[in-house]
Amino acid sequence: ADVTARPLKKGREARALRRDEIAAIREAFVAAAQRVQRAGADGVQLHAAHSYLLSRFLDPTFNQRTDAYGGDAVSRFRLVGEIVAGIKAACGAAFPVLLKINSDTKADDTAYEADLTYMLQESRRLGVELVELSGVDFLNEPRTATLYYLERAKRLRRAVEEPMSLVGGVRSLADMEAVIASGLDMVSLGRPLVCEPDLLPRLR
């Protein structure tokens, strides 16, 4: 049996990806971005939040690797950085790459905030045009909660000169104005537009 296997639901187990598998995943992301570019899209966003694969690499709650892709923030961010660099090389530096990332974690959240500063600085160095900040615990927030991640986003914005957007609990025009007033560059909406597709024209 694989001693590195970890239990999942329904009797399944997870194992650590091999280095060749990581390389194949990196190339698959780059190839997908090239298809998006050929299809006429203006840019691409990498989803590295909400338990998708890239977020598992970034988050020390899940990343227990001891090689170049696990451990400190530099190693945990390595795959995301390689994918960004690969997309920029394949699609051109002018093709925008955005990154969606969790602003918190269920592990050592204080240490993770410090790690995020590095990750955002590295995103900036690699040419990421915008980082969208989300988080891991939004499903547990009460329905009346707003702007779940704003306070941390404001601290990160002061620490790093990387264009940033905030998503999560943006429920009104006043919420949107609060995000912009805090120094962030943009507001992201998800569920509000599912519930009310005509929300933006009505607010305008």
Side-chain angles (χ1 to χ4, degrees):
D2 185 348
V3 296
T4 65
R6 299 176 64 183
L8 292 173
K9 296 178 181 178
K10 300 180 180 178
R12 297 176 299 158
E13 290 185 333
R15 61 165 177 82
L17 286 165
R18 300 188 310 269
R19 293 289 288 271
D20 64 303
E21 291 174 317
I22 291 175
I25 289 168
R26 179 180 63 239
E27 295 311 311
F29 270 98
V30 174
Q34 289 177 293
R35 291 195 298 274
V36 166
Q37 185 183 43
R38 288 196 300 269
D42 298 302
V44 66
Q45 183 185 59
L46 296 177
H47 200 333
H50 303 172
S51 297
Y52 288 96
L53 177 64
L54 297 183
S55 75
R56 298 300 206 192
F57 274 86
L58 299 180
D59 192 335
T61 307
F62 302 99
N63 188 341
Q64 302 296 310
R65 300 182 71 94
T66 57
D67 62 0
Y69 292 92
D72 62 11
V74 175
S75 296
R76 298 197 319 271
F77 189 77
R78 190 179 309 279
L79 177 56
V80 172
E82 289 177 348
I83 291 171
V84 172
I87 293 173
K88 290 290 186 179
C91 298
F95 185 67
V97 178
L98 284 65
L99 178 64
K100 188 183 187 101
I101 191 170
N102 288 328
S103 63
D104 63 349
T105 176
K106 294 180 180 178
D108 187 341
D109 194 39
T110 301
Y112 181 72
E113 182 172 347
D115 290 347
L116 272 177
T117 300
Y118 163 78
M119 294 179 188
L120 293 173
Q121 290 170 337
E122 186 66 3
S123 296
R124 177 73 165 175
R125 186 188 70 79
L126 291 167
V128 170
E129 274 75 9
L130 179 82
V131 174
E132 180 182 332
L133 296 170
S134 187
V136 301
D137 59 351
F138 58 92
L139 293 178
N140 296 321
E141 293 286 348
R143 287 185 175 273
T144 55
T146 61
L147 303 177
Y148 315 142
Y149 312 113
L150 181 59
E151 292 308 309
R152 174 159 293 180
K154 289 193 291 189
R155 292 196 298 272
L156 291 168
R157 190 67 185 85
R158 289 193 294 267
V160 182
E161 288 297 321
E162 166 68 54
M164 296 180 200
S165 178
L166 182 72
V167 72
V170 181
R171 302 187 184 282
S172 67
L173 185 59
D175 290 339
M176 298 177 199
E177 290 172 338
V179 172
I180 299 304
S182 75
L184 273 73
D185 305 273
M186 201 173 295
V187 177
S188 296
L189 298 174
R191 296 180 185 193
L193 298 180
V194 174
C195 297
E196 301 179 80
D198 62 340
L199 177 61
L200 295 181
R202 289 196 292 108
L203 288 175
R204 186 170 62 225

